[in-house]
Amino acid sequence: MNATDASDVSDQLLRSRLANLLEGIRPWDEQERTHLAAAAEWIAGGAPLYRMQKPDVPAVHLVCYFVVLDEARGELLLVAHRKAGLWLPSGGHVEPMEDPWDTVLRECREELRTEAVPSAVSGRGPFFLTVTRTRGQGQHTDVSLWFVLKSYVGSVTTFDEDEFEAIKWLSLQEVLAEPGDTLDPHMHRFTHKLMAACASS
């Protein structure tokens, strides 16, 4: 098998892995159901999956968010993202041929200086999926897998100050009280889904 054939096999294996991850996400509402279907079609269609050049090449690429949750207190961590100008979960772009969970492990160390621990809500699989057009210069579309990590308030004491201006812990109700235009556009929907999952666990 030559290098090209090996690369093709690896690509197909990762696309199969991504398809399985999507199948494991139970859609919260019709919008998530639509996004899951669009993401599955995109993955199966053979289009490039990874960002190759900042900020927008290719125009659609794969991202991982990870929401750090204090399960006992029902509080989650948001970061003030400098470029986006929004309060967001931590996260980053999936590198070429990288498994999304490995993205979470890497980005959690880089951005929050801590190890990623899967939550009881969804384990090492994604809990939520969104397809979002970004704002500002270099607009593109992020296909975002949202993971939930387990931690506790006070555990994150340092962070990547080049990426973030500040961090804060909020109760789930406080997240819902935040103006939608200060957050990721799907943050309220994610929070409702998370509240329902925590209530049933």
Side-chain angles (χ1 to χ4, degrees), residues 26 48 105 133:
R26 297 180 61 181
L105 293 173
R133 185 75 176 164

Side-chain angles (χ1 to χ4, degrees), residues 10-24:
S10 297
D11 180 69
Q12 289 306 312
L13 286 172
L14 192 55
R15 287 177 191 273
S16 177
R17 161 75 171 150
L18 289 169
N20 288 336
L21 288 177
L22 264 58
E23 288 174 4

Side-chain angles (χ1 to χ4, degrees), residues 69-72 74-75 119-121 127 148 172 191-201:
L69 176 68
D70 185 322
E71 297 173 355
E75 297 185 23
S119 75
V121 171
F127 176 72
V148 183
L172 301 184
T191 304
H192 281 298
K193 185 177 183 179
L194 182 61
M195 290 174 73
C198 291
S200 63
S201 63

Side-chain angles (χ1 to χ4, degrees), residues 154-175:
S155 64
V156 180
T157 56
T158 60
F159 56 90
D160 184 347
E161 295 186 18
D162 290 334
E163 291 252 5
F164 313 138
E165 293 181 18
I167 61 175
K168 64 181 177 182
W169 290 86
L170 296 172
S171 71
L172 301 184
Q173 291 291 350
E174 286 173 333
V175 174

Side-chain angles (χ1 to χ4, degrees), residues 12-27 32 35-37 39-40 42-44 49-50 62-65 94 97-104 118 122-130 143-148 193:
Q12 289 306 312
L13 286 172
L14 192 55
R15 287 177 191 273
S16 177
R17 161 75 171 150
L18 289 169
N20 288 336
L21 288 177
L22 264 58
E23 288 174 4
I25 300 174
R26 297 180 61 181
E32 187 173 15
H35 284 184
L36 282 165
W42 171 66
I43 290 166
L49 300 178
Y50 313 102
L62 197 60
V63 170
C64 286
Y65 270 149
V94 181
M97 308 310 293
E98 185 176 47
D99 185 89
W101 178 248
D102 291 333
T103 305
V104 172
S122 58
R124 294 189 177 194
F127 176 72
F128 190 60
L129 178 132
T130 57
V143 178
S144 303
L145 298 166
W146 297 52
F147 293 77
V148 183
K193 185 177 183 179

Side-chain angles (χ1 to χ4, degrees), residues 51-64:
R51 186 178 70 177
M52 303 305 294
Q53 182 179 326
K54 294 182 179 181
D56 57 355
V57 179
V60 182
H61 46 256
L62 197 60
V63 170
C64 286

